[in-house]
């Protein structure tokens, strides 16, 4: 009888926790630069986004040392990517910077997520 009551109590607690859990319109797995941009773009459109990153920080290769990217013709870069490079440039006191240090790139990606307001980041 005690076991049965305990199981019922656990089931009720689990159901209550589930009903109180935060709900999201979109879940993005991977906090790479592309994952961050996906989450930010969706949040700017009004979606409530969960950004899941199994590692310790956002940015993937962009914030892990690959600062020199193969971008070809700079004039074709637009949208959130161009916004990123402009934000990086402002960190250096420039209009735009194409090859940021990893720590600067990470700071900018984190700021973009925070500014989007509807993105919840889950690390680890």
């Amino acid at each position: 009888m005690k076991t049965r009551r305990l199981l019922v109590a656990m089931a009720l607690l689990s159901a209550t926790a589930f009903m109180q859990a935060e709900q999201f319109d979109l879940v993005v797995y991977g906090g790479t630069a592309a994952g961050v941009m996906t989450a930010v773009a969706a949040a700017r459109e009004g979606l409530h986004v969960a950004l899941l990153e199994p590692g310790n920080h956002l940015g993937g290769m962009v914030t892990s040392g690959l600062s020199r990217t193969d971008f070809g013709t700079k004039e074709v870069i637009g949208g959130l990517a161009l916004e990123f490079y402009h934000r990086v440039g402002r960190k250096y006191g420039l209009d735009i910077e194409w090859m940021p240090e990893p720590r600067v790139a990470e700071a900018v990606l984190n700021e973009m997520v925070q500014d989007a307001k509807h993105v919840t980041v889950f690390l680890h």
Side-chain angles (χ1 to χ4, degrees):
M1 188 67 149
K2 287 183 181 181
T3 304
R4 187 174 178 184
R5 281 189 219 153
L6 180 61
L7 289 173
V8 169
M10 288 174 58
L12 288 173
L13 285 172
S14 296
T16 302
F18 178 75
M19 290 186 328
Q20 293 176 354
E22 198 167 357
Q23 295 194 352
F24 299 96
D25 300 309
L26 176 67
V27 176
V28 177
Y29 181 79
T32 62
V36 170
M37 296 304 165
T38 299
V40 168
R44 288 181 181 180
E45 292 296 321
L47 297 181
H48 190 184
V49 182
L51 178 57
L52 311 178
E53 169 51 48
N56 298 328
H57 59 88
L58 297 178
M61 291 190 299
V62 173
T63 60
S64 297
L66 181 63
S67 297
R68 184 170 181 88
T69 56
D70 184 12
F71 49 72
T73 306
K74 295 174 186 169
E75 291 78 21
V76 301
I77 297 174
L80 290 173
L82 186 59
E83 178 184 336
F84 169 78
Y85 289 118
H86 277 292
R87 283 177 176 240
V88 167
R90 286 195 295 270
K91 296 282 187 190
Y92 291 105
L94 306 168
D95 178 51
I96 197 163
E97 174 57 48
W98 298 104
M99 291 178 274
E101 299 166 272
R103 66 179 177 78
V104 174
E106 184 174 1
V108 169
L109 291 173
N110 283 320
E111 287 172 7
M112 291 178 79
V113 165
Q114 290 170 356
D115 292 348
K117 293 190 181 19
H118 298 292
V119 178
T120 303
V121 177
F122 296 93
L123 299 175
H124 310 288

